[in-house]
């Protein structure tokens, strides 16, 4: 239950906190983009099985690879792409937390 709450709490609660604290003028837009970061899970469709509760997504799926994470970090350096980088890194943080809790 802790794993579920942590994983989905980061996916859906953290974006609201980030939007309300850091994007005060465009909160609704920011929340939409930040929650939209979950779309990188579409790369799970390339895996067999598509969903495995005991699989760590980090460096298993293409959009969760170390190379992709490096790209997401680069998005933070440009004002126009910063919110997308934050969204994708929040998603990676959720999956990283999940990986940590799987290994425990």
């Amino acid at each position: 239950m802790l794993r579920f709450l942590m994983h989905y709490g980061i996916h859906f609660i953290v974006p609201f906190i980030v939007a309300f604290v850091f994007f005060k003028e465009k909160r609704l837009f920011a929340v939409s983009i930040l929650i939209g970061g979950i779309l990188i899970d579409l790369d799970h469709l390339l895996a067999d099985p598509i969903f495995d509760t005991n699989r760590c997504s980090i460096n298993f799926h293409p959009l969760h690879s170390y190379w992709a994470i490096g790209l997401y970090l680069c998005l933070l350096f440009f004002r126009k792409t910063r919110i997308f980088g934050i969204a994708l890194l929040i998603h990676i943080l959720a999956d990283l937390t999940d990986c940590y809790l799987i290994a425990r």
Side-chain angles (χ1 to χ4, degrees):
M1 187 61 149
L2 172 67
R3 191 172 143 209
F4 177 85
L5 292 173
M6 290 291 293
H7 184 82
Y8 289 104
I10 293 171
H11 272 310
F12 295 105
I13 295 171
V14 170
F16 278 95
I17 294 169
V18 170
F20 278 76
V21 172
F22 297 105
F23 297 96
K24 293 178 180 167
E25 281 103 41
K26 297 183 177 185
R27 286 184 179 148
L28 187 58
F29 173 75
V31 166
S32 302
I33 298 296
L34 294 171
I35 289 181
I38 204 162
L39 289 173
I40 69 169
D41 272 344
L42 288 172
D43 66 357
H44 289 244
L45 296 173
L46 302 172
D48 185 29
I50 292 172
F51 180 73
D52 182 356
T53 57
N54 293 315
R55 177 174 59 213
C56 177
S57 296
I58 304 299
N59 213 36
F60 183 85
H61 303 289
L63 296 176
H64 294 72
S65 68
Y66 297 135
W67 291 102
I69 294 168
L71 177 65
Y72 306 154
L73 286 168
C74 289
L75 293 175
L76 298 176
F77 292 104
F78 305 98
R79 191 149 77 65
K80 290 189 178 200
T81 60
R82 186 169 297 140
I83 193 164
F84 297 103
I86 293 169
L88 296 167
L89 289 171
I90 288 171
H91 181 94
I92 294 298
L93 176 65
D95 287 357
L96 193 59
T97 303
D98 202 38
C99 293
Y100 173 75
L101 292 173
I102 287 171
R104 277 184 5 146

